[in-house]
Amino acid sequence: MKRLFFCVFCVFCVTLTTSAQKFALVDMEYILKNIPAYERANEQLNQTSKQWQAEVDALTTEAQTLYKNYQNEVVFLSKEQKKAKQDAIVEKEKQAADLKKKYFGPEGELYKKRNALMAPIQDEIYNAIKDIADTRGYQLVLDRASDSGILFGSPKIDISSEVLSKLGYSN
């Protein structure tokens, strides 16, 4: 009986606590689409990525060409020549893999460039959301674009347009 009373009491307390909290929603996709600096940064990242991928592809193609040439000439080559050609192929493949890791690895150049270009924009958005939340007394602000758990959010609690206005962008 005491456990039942304790459980009912806990549910009652949690209900009172959550009803006093204020929530808001933002749509980060909408906000980012309306910030020209984000679009420019994204385009710059795409172009850089394509350029770097072309470099990696060129090395990979060279390695494949070396391998095809090796297969065509293998019967005519001495042991030393075979070993030299195999080493050249392996070295070219290693160069391609190293370049790919350098550009696209977890701590690669693309990651660093993305952070350098996007972090200031994201910080600016975060600070605008935080200012609005502090001013209006929101305890929680959710991103409707990235949270698939939100099935419905009232437009009344969506502050995306207000965030854009605070950042100086019209929507």
Side-chain angles (χ1 to χ4, degrees), residues 40-147:
R40 286 190 302 271
N42 212 16
E43 182 59 34
Q44 186 178 354
L45 284 172
N46 286 338
Q47 288 180 0
T48 302
S49 178
K50 286 178 186 175
Q51 177 186 350
W52 288 343
Q53 186 61 48
E55 290 178 35
V56 171
D57 290 346
L59 281 176
T60 303
T61 301
E62 285 181 43
Q64 289 171 348
T65 302
L66 287 174
Y67 180 70
K68 287 178 185 174
N69 291 342
Y70 170 77
Q71 284 182 323
N72 291 335
E73 301 169 351
V74 72
V75 292
F76 304 113
L77 299 175
S78 67
K79 277 189 172 184
E80 295 82 26
Q81 290 173 325
K82 286 180 185 178
K83 177 74 171 134
K85 295 247 182 201
Q86 290 170 351
D87 290 345
I89 293 167
V90 168
E91 179 60 29
K92 194 59 77 172
E93 289 173 341
K94 184 180 180 317
Q95 287 175 359
D98 289 346
L99 190 62
K100 186 174 185 175
K101 182 179 178 183
K102 175 187 171 193
Y103 287 151
F104 303 109
E107 296 293 322
E109 296 297 320
L110 187 63
Y111 173 79
K112 292 174 187 173
K113 189 169 184 115
R114 178 175 284 120
N115 276 348
L117 292 172
M118 299 298 188
I121 297 168
Q122 291 170 336
D123 290 345
E124 191 178 9
I125 293 169
Y126 171 79
N127 290 331
I129 292 171
K130 186 176 181 319
D131 288 346
I132 293 168
D134 289 345
T135 302
R136 291 196 168 175
Y138 296 127
Q139 284 82 24
L140 180 66
V141 179
L142 300 170
D143 179 11
R144 85 169 42 207
S146 66
D147 189 2

Side-chain angles (χ1 to χ4, degrees), residues 1-13:
M1 186 67 170
K2 287 181 183 180
R3 283 188 181 170
L4 178 64
F5 176 73
F6 180 73
C7 289
V8 170
F9 178 74
C10 286
V11 170
F12 179 72
C13 289

Side-chain angles (χ1 to χ4, degrees), residues 124-133 135 159-170:
E124 191 178 9
I125 293 169
Y126 171 79
N127 290 331
I129 292 171
K130 186 176 181 319
D131 288 346
I132 293 168
T135 302
I159 60 170
S160 302
S161 296
E162 189 175 345
V163 171
L164 282 172
S165 295
K166 185 156 188 75
L167 293 170
Y169 301 104
S170 61

